[in-house]
Structures are given as structure tokens and as C-alpha cells.
Amino acid sequence: MAKTGVVKITQRVDFDAVMAAGVSASSPHFALHIRRPALRNRIGAVVPKRWAKNAVTRNAIKRQIYALVAQSQFHKEPSDMVVRLRKTFQRTEFISAASLALKQAVRTELRQLFDKAFQTP
């Protein structure tokens, strides 16, 4: 991810600092925490086992988060961001963690979340 200017947040202290800044935007399944200013763009993903029981599902959601941020232009000024899953995706609707439907649903909701957070007033 370094080639796009975005680095993953890996340390718990950094996650806690960003999450202490409060929720900047939310959607039905996700909350976005943003801390500004920062030295560079960094992104973290919190996908608790409580809301995504299978490791395959958790990893698929994290991959969608990191992929969207890597190819996006949402972050104009350097900031630390944490995307947190706050509600489960219904297993009756999305039977497989690897399903295209789940990936599209996650990606669409994340785009809306970032649009909401970075819209100019």
C-alpha cells in the first residue's frame, strides 16, 4: 500500500488514538474514525469476531477496506483513519464470505461512508 501513499495502522496505541477522536461518519454497517492532522495517510480496519464470525469473512471485509482506500482519492490532507465494522452482514443474505454480492455490498457502503466523511460543505 505504500506506493499509493497510504500505510496500514498496525499498533494498538495508534488504533486507540484514532478511535478516541470519535466517529466522523457512519453507515448501517460501518463507522469511520478520522484523526487529523497526521504526518501521512494511514488506514486501519477493525472487524470484530462478534460481527463477522468467520475469519474468511473478516479478512474479505478488511481486503475490501484496504483496496478501496488504496485506489481512492478521498484523503486530500494527511489523516489517520480507522474503519470499524459495527453490525453484522446477515448470513441469510450473504451465504458465502467469498460471494460477489458481499464484496459489492461492502464496497458500495464503504464508498458512501467515505463520500459522507470527505464531502466538502
Side-chain angles (χ1 to χ4, degrees):
M1 290 185 86
K3 65 183 174 186
T4 61
V6 180
V7 177
K8 288 183 184 179
I9 297 174
T10 57
Q11 299 295 314
R12 182 182 177 102
V13 174
D14 295 332
F15 275 99
D16 290 342
V18 176
M19 292 180 65
V23 176
S24 298
S26 62
S27 67
H29 292 97
F30 296 101
L32 176 63
H33 301 262
I34 300 174
R35 184 179 72 171
R36 294 182 186 114
L39 297 175
R40 61 181 181 233
N41 288 314
R42 296 190 307 167
I43 182 74
V46 177
V47 183
K49 198 173 193 178
R50 176 181 183 184
W51 301 124
K53 301 289 184 201
N54 296 329
V56 175
T57 305
R58 290 192 302 275
N59 290 330
I61 292 172
K62 286 180 188 178
R63 279 194 303 274
Q64 291 298 314
I65 293 168
Y66 292 130
L68 181 67
V69 171
Q71 69 183 3
S72 73
Q73 298 300 319
F74 296 118
H75 38 274
K76 294 190 179 8
E77 68 178 90
S79 59
D80 290 340
M81 299 175 283
V82 171
V83 177
R84 178 175 50 90
L85 181 67
R86 61 185 195 126
K87 185 179 175 186
T88 189
F89 281 92
Q90 294 301 321
R91 295 179 85 183
T92 55
E93 217 176 312
F94 305 104
I95 297 169
S96 170
S99 71
L100 187 58
L102 177 61
K103 290 176 184 175
Q104 289 176 338
V106 168
R107 177 95 31 141
T108 300
E109 193 169 326
L110 287 170
R111 278 194 193 107
Q112 292 169 352
L113 180 69
F114 280 100
D115 286 343
K116 184 193 281 188
F118 292 102
Q119 66 185 348
T120 53

